[in-house]
Every structure is written in C-alpha cells, then in structure tokens.
Amino acid sequence: MNYIIKGNLRGLLCSDCELPVAGTSVKVYRPSDQQNETRLAVADPKQTFHQVNDDELKAKERLFITQADVQENGDFTIEIDGGKSGYEGGSIDVDWYCGNVPFKIPLPKKDPVLQFHITTLQPLYKSNQENAQYARFDYKIDSKWFCRILTLLDIWVVCGYVNDCETQKPIPGVKVFAYDVDLLQDDYLGNAYTDNNGKFTIVYPGDNFRKTLLPWLNVEWPAGPDYYFRVESSSGTVLLAEDRTRGRQNDRHNANNCFCVKLCIKGGGIITSDTPWFTSVGNFSITSDIDGSGKNLISKFGAGGTGYGFFGSVKLGGYATKKVPTAPASPLYYRFLFSTDNVNFSPVTTAQMETTALKVATRQITWNGTTAFQDVVIDINQAASVPDSVPADNYPNPIPDHVLHPDVNGWVRVDQPALDNGFYGSLFYLNTTTIIGGGDASAGLTPGLAVPVADQKNGRMLYIQFQTTDDPANTASPNLNTQSLIGKIYVNNWNEVSLLKLEELFAGGGSGCTPVSGTAHADYTVDHELIASWSLGVWSNATGTVSGLPSGTTPRGDAKKFDMASPSPFVLTPPFSAWPSCAYSLTLTTYRKLTTGESNDWGKTNQVIFCK
C-alpha cells in the first residue's frame, strides 16, 4: 500500500502576509516518543513546534522514512511506500528542514543548518482505486517563530499590497521596487510584481541594505532598513514614487526583517477600477511572463519555467466590472474568443469549457441570521441561478452556489450583487484539448528506434481575445469592446512517446516470463517536442537503486538499444554481472515542459518487471 500526503507549508510574516518556504523540505519519521504518541498526535501544532537540537537529530536518524521538497507555492507531496518502509498508516513525526540556504535566494552559505519539529501527525487517510491512501496536511509557521528563523538566516522580507487609493481595489500586474535610505548612497533591495490580489513579496539577503561606498563602513548594523518604494506599470510608467524621506518616518525607520506595508495609487494606475481587462493565463501575465512564442519566460508560484508550453485546461484571468464603462446603467457581459491563426476568431463556448466549477466572485448574504458569504461560480453541472437573485436564509442547509452559465455565444453576465465591483481573478476555464487535440503519440512506433520526423507530434499557437458588451444580442452595439491586446500561448496536448522493452524477455518467442541471465538489452524511445527530462532506472531488493543508467534533458528525447551487460561508455553500479538472482524493476521516467499555468505536468513511468 502507498501512502500519499499532500500539503502546503508557509510561514506567517504578519496577519495577512505569508511566505511559501520554497527550496526547503518536509521530513517524515516514525514517532520518537511512542509512549506519548496519542497525546502528541492531538496536540496543537503551535505548541509542539520547536527547533531540533543535535541530540534529537541524531536519535531521529534511525526513524527516518522519507522527505519531500517544498515547491515555490508551498505545496509538497509526501509519498510513502508501505511495502518498502513497513509503514502502515499510523502516526508520523513531521519536521521542517530549512538547511542554511532556503527560499531560493542567493545567500552566502553559513551555519547553522536548521531543522524544526512541527507535530506528531495522525493522517486522516482516504482510499481510492489505485491501491493508495491519501491525506492532507497544511501548516503555517507562526510569525514569531518564522521571523526569528529568518533572522538566524539573515533573510529579510517585504510583503504588501497595492490598492487604488479611493476604491481600495487591488491593482495587479504592477512592479514594486524597494529601497533603503542610506547615509551615502541609497540601497536597492529588490522588486516584485503584484498578483491578482494586489499582493507582492520581496525577499532579499541582509547584505543588500548593508552595502556602502566604503566597504569598511557599515552604518546600518545592527539597525534595519529604512524603506521607501516606487511602483511602475508593466510598460515602465511610474505610478508611485515615494520620497526617500519617507524611509526616515517612524513606521519605516529601522524596520524588522518581516515588514508588511500597504501602498496605494491614485486613480488605480493604468488599470482603473472601471476598465475590464484580460490579464493572465493561470499564474502568468500575458504581457510580462509569456514570450512571443507563447512559452513561459519564468517559473511562477511553482508552475511553469523557462520554455514551458501549456496543456490541458487553463484559467483565463482578468477583471470584469459590474457595469459597462461606456453605459454605466447596463450590466457588463464578457466572453473570450480563440484562434489558431490570429486571423479567424471564434467564441469560446461551453463546448470549449472545462466542466469543473470555477469560482469567479463572492457575495455577502444573510445566513443563520448573520452575515455570510456565497460563492459565484460558472458551472454547467448545476442549474443556472436566476440572475442577481439572493437566496433566502435557509439555515441549517449549506449555502448554495450562485450559478452562472455562458450563453450559446459564450457571453457571461457579471453578477450585480458580487463584491469588489465585479469579477476579479479567474474569469473562464478553457479546455485547450477541445481546440488543439493530442493523445497517444506512440502508435506504430518501435522501442529502441528514433521517431521519424514525419511522425513527431507538435503543438500549436493558441490566440485568445477578450470582448465586453452591454447587449449580447446586438452585434452592432456601440458598447461592444474588443481588447486590442491578444493573449498568446503555445499548446501541446500530445503525450510523450515513452516506449520500453527488455529484449531477452521475448527472445526466441518467449512469453515475457523468461529469466534474464547473461545479457539484458533495454530498448527505449523517448520523444516529445517539449521534453524536460527522461531517465532509465533499475531497482531491486537485492541491489537497491542501480546508478549510471542513461538519462537526459536533450530536445525531443532519445532512442537506443542499451546493453546493460556491456554498457560502455556508461558504468553501472553495481555492474550487471554482480546482480544476484532476484526480481528487478526496469523503468523509463519522463517529464514534459508543460503547465496549466497553475501546476506542471506530472512525470510518467513506464515499467518492466523481470527476474535474473
């Protein structure tokens, strides 16, 4: 039985700001205090969190089960093989290992190497149809602990929000620069873009604000930075430029290493509170995070990476106001259009829609005689609600969704009771496979042979346009507006070619059960336009993991008939001749450079079992 625990780990900076602890690890152990295991499993994790000292760490080594890396958005996945580890679903000790260079920022390597015990956890597993048990564990490190830990590592964080000064609406997609007032020359500390909630986070090492023109003069130590900020649009227009004297005021002077701030821009900058916009695909801005070929320029919140394309269902994000800017009395309708040639555009309708419900807004209602909140969703699996209708207080029943359906031409009406003056964030869930197909790319191919160029499967560019109107039935409405900026994403929905065969299993007409002895030829073929990596692997109880097998990150992949008995120039450890009689697993693992904009393609493993 396999046990899988998915979770998210973040550190609190202040009440409304938190930082995913990317680049660190979650470690899992058998409980060290078995006598008090039950009591510890029900204890508040805030009370059990503590630094693991050297003696504890040494005692834990024999109890170690596995560990998982924390991704850029704080997500982690712990996978425990019950057969190998002997784990049967009981309590586990969960530790956070942050080493001495966490959070993926350039820091000089220094002591100490830090590890903290979070809690003794009894996972609440649920089974599925794949011989696995699943559980969830999310944890936020208290700010008192987290900021102290950052101090030990000399990590400094600015977390904040940028809003419209009058409406207090968040402003997305602007670039915030942080500076420190210095005696001789002000220090540039770092920059970050705001997300759809107007939030930004700048992480930097302490040396950034201790720099001076004279290396021997450190006028900051032991004080903190004196902050002032500049905000620019994505095109570089300055929207806010604080005077450096702002950094000398009490609320900015000698700031702590966890600093939270709220900035506001008069008039909301270039994206005003009454202008509908299409701004993003998943986490990625269509103006700054995607290149001209439709691929990612960066990794963002744990998704994508340089050269990554898109696949599957993607969320189209932006801002849709309640009213039409040019007709303030009329509710706004919006829709998306798509094209594969950037010339002929068609409406995105329910035929191109991901059928999973998409939350687009929140409403304030009365439930159980008090203030409550209702989700506004686009969901064709539920009956559409009466437009703008507010549910009667029907407690103790659960609060129903307010359900929207696109019309036959893809138009969505903005719900008028929604908060935030409209829909802000994800506006539509597009299933790209309905436009750019894919599927199995391996048909008719032979393991060990390269894929002919004529049979290689490639993706296509997808162009996305945004429209708003006051009257979907009137194509000549003077209030019909088409956004001139077109989103461009490169889509490839083909599975990678992943073929694997051990020749000796079928030699001489064998049935696939023939033991392998003197020779072992692993025939493999890997091919995909956006291959990220691939690797052969061999494992058994007798040898553990065999090292030295072929792997690569070359474009499209590789194909070869690999002789494991005579692997030159590869060197296998242990060599094939030293493998004892046992059952072996031969695997071919592949990853594609594809993202939905929120999560990347999961690796796939092709497996052959054989005996020697």
Side-chain angles (χ1 to χ4, degrees):
M1 178 69 71
N2 292 323
Y3 298 87
I4 299 174
I5 303 172
K6 291 181 176 290
N8 187 276
L9 182 60
R10 294 168 179 254
L12 290 173
L13 302 166
C14 50
S15 60
D16 57 355
C17 273
E18 54 193 41
L19 181 69
V21 291
T24 65
S25 302
V26 175
K27 290 190 172 185
V28 174
Y29 302 83
R30 292 179 178 84
S32 56
D33 187 352
Q34 296 183 354
Q35 290 183 344
N36 295 305
E37 180 179 330
T38 301
R39 180 178 62 83
L40 292 172
V42 298
D44 184 349
K46 290 183 179 179
Q47 304 301 321
T48 57
F49 190 94
H50 67 271
Q51 185 172 353
V52 179
N53 60 40
D54 292 342
D55 290 339
E56 284 183 277
L57 194 58
K58 186 174 181 180
K60 280 175 172 283
E61 290 179 357
R62 61 185 177 83
L63 301 172
F64 178 74
I65 299 176
T66 189
Q67 70 181 57
D69 293 334
V70 180
Q71 305 303 310
E72 289 191 27
N73 64 349
D75 286 349
F76 61 86
T77 301
I78 299 168
E79 299 184 14
I80 304 175
D81 187 325
K84 293 181 181 179
S85 66
Y87 175 73
E88 297 180 343
S91 298
I92 52 176
D93 277 359
V94 181
D95 281 17
W96 174 43
Y97 174 78
C98 58
N100 56 14
V101 191
F103 315 122
K104 296 186 176 179
I105 68 170
L107 291 170
K109 188 172 182 180
K110 60 178 68 176
D111 291 331
V113 173
L114 300 175
Q115 181 164 324
F116 299 86
H117 175 66
I118 297 176
T119 191
T120 298
L121 175 70
Q122 174 54 70
L124 299 176
Y125 289 111
K126 295 181 179 180
S127 62
N128 67 359
Q129 303 298 318
E130 301 174 355
N131 192 34
Q133 299 276 335
Y134 286 83
R136 183 83 193 179
F137 176 65
D138 297 327
Y139 186 75
K140 294 180 180 180
I141 304 165
D142 185 82
S143 59
K144 292 182 179 179
W145 263 109
F146 190 59
C147 293
R148 180 182 175 189
I149 294 166
L150 295 180
T151 300
L152 293 174
L153 296 164
D154 197 24
I155 293 175
W156 295 70
V157 185
V158 179
C159 181
Y161 292 85
V162 180
N163 295 330
D164 183 292
C165 294
E166 296 178 359
T167 67
Q168 296 304 307
K169 289 200 154 303
I171 301 176
V174 295
K175 196 172 186 179
V176 182
F177 298 82
Y179 298 90
D180 166 46
V181 178
D182 213 339
L183 180 64
L184 302 177
Q185 176 178 293
D186 291 353
D187 300 315
Y188 165 67
L189 303 176
N191 70 80
Y193 280 95
T194 58
D195 63 15
N196 285 339
N197 297 311
K199 181 182 177 183
F200 67 91
T201 305
I202 299 172
V203 184
Y204 65 93
D207 284 347
N208 281 19
F209 71 86
R210 299 192 189 102
K211 298 173 183 176
T212 67
L213 292 175
L214 305 174
W216 50 268
L217 178 62
N218 187 349
V219 296
E220 296 282 2
W221 185 258
D226 308 319
Y227 286 115
Y228 69 98
F229 298 92
R230 188 176 83 249
V231 181
E232 295 181 357
S233 71
S234 59
S235 62
T237 301
V238 177
L239 306 176
L240 173 68
E242 293 186 333
D243 190 273
R244 65 189 302 274
T245 58
R246 181 69 177 88
R248 294 300 191 190
Q249 296 178 15
N250 289 338
D251 61 332
R252 299 279 188 87
H253 180 54
N254 287 340
N256 294 325
N257 69 313
C258 292
F259 181 73
C260 298
V261 65
K262 292 185 178 179
L263 305 173
C264 78
I265 297 174
K266 293 181 180 180
I270 57 171
I271 301 179
T272 63
S273 58
D274 61 355
T275 304
W277 282 89
F278 162 42
T279 61
S280 61
V281 179
N283 296 332
F284 294 89
S285 166
I286 61 174
T287 59
S288 58
D289 299 332
I290 301 172
D291 65 18
S293 69
K295 298 170 187 172
N296 298 169
L297 287 167
I298 58 174
S299 172
K300 203 165 185 182
F301 307 124
T306 304
Y308 273 62
F310 291 84
F311 79 121
S313 294
V314 299
K315 293 177 182 176
L316 308 180
Y319 181 41
T321 54
K322 287 184 181 179
K323 303 296 185 182
V324 178
T326 52
S330 301
L332 182 110
Y333 293 78
Y334 69 87
R335 70 174 179 180
F336 290 89
L337 305 136
F338 71 91
S339 172
T340 55
D341 59 11
N342 205 22
V343 176
N344 302 294
F345 282 84
S346 301
V348 175
T349 67
T350 54
Q352 291 82 37
M353 178 178 163
E354 163 61 43
T355 56
T356 302
L358 177 68
K359 179 180 175 181
V360 291
T362 301
R363 314 159 115 216
Q364 183 175 307
I365 63 171
T366 299
W367 207 260
N368 193 22
T370 187
T371 298
F373 297 95
Q374 180 187 31
D375 290 342
V376 181
V377 301
I378 300 175
D379 185 5
I380 59 175
N381 297 310
Q382 301 185 65
S385 303
V386 176
D388 302 338
S389 61
V390 178
D393 190 334
N394 197 22
Y395 179 84
N397 291 320
I399 298 174
D401 293 333
H402 183 79
V403 181
L404 309 178
H405 285 184
D407 71 10
V408 293
N409 293 310
W411 290 104
V412 176
R413 182 182 184 274
V414 176
D415 180 61
Q416 299 303 290
L419 299 175
D420 297 330
N421 196 36
F423 299 169
Y424 203 92
S426 297
L427 300 179
F428 205 92
Y429 212 166
L430 172 66
N431 183 354
T432 68
T433 63
T434 63
I435 303 170
I436 298 175
D440 182 13
S442 300
L445 301 178
T446 302
L449 299 181
V451 179
V453 174
D455 294 328
Q456 292 176 348
K457 308 299 185 184
N458 298 319
R460 299 182 69 182
M461 187 77 87
L462 180 62
Y463 302 89
I464 305 169
Q465 204 167 43
F466 185 60
Q467 283 187 329
T468 59
T469 189
D470 64 329
D471 185 2
N474 181 11
T475 57
S477 170
N479 298 307
L480 175 65
N481 180 67
T482 302
Q483 182 173 313
S484 60
L485 180 64
I486 296 174
K488 305 173 185 178
I489 60 173
Y490 189 82
V491 176
N492 190 318
N493 285 313
W494 286 101
N495 293 332
E496 64 269 61
V497 176
S498 175
L499 300 174
L500 180 63
K501 177 182 177 181
L502 189 61
E503 292 183 12
E504 282 70 15
L505 288 179
F506 301 93
S511 63
C513 296
T514 307
V516 174
S517 55
T519 59
H521 292 80
D523 298 350
Y524 64 89
T525 300
V526 177
D527 182 81
H528 192 271
E529 179 187 21
L530 295 175
I531 202 74
S533 65
W534 62 271
S535 61
L536 276 184
V538 171
W539 183 90
S540 80
N541 279 322
T543 61
T545 299
V546 176
S547 63
L549 290 155
S551 63
T553 58
T554 54
R556 298 220 69 102
D558 193 17
K560 189 172 294 182
K561 296 178 181 289
F562 180 69
D563 185 351
M564 292 189 288
S566 301
S568 180
F570 295 91
V571 177
L572 305 190
T573 305
F576 178 78
S577 59
W579 297 0
S581 296
C582 193
Y584 288 82
S585 168
L586 170 67
T587 57
L588 176 60
T589 301
T590 53
Y591 292 86
R592 297 179 297 174
K593 294 172 69 172
L594 292 173
T595 183
T596 66
E598 294 181 308
S599 60
N600 291 346
D601 178 45
W602 285 55
K604 298 177 181 65
T605 299
N606 196 346
Q607 183 181 53
V608 173
I609 302 296
F610 67 96
C611 292
K612 185 176 186 292

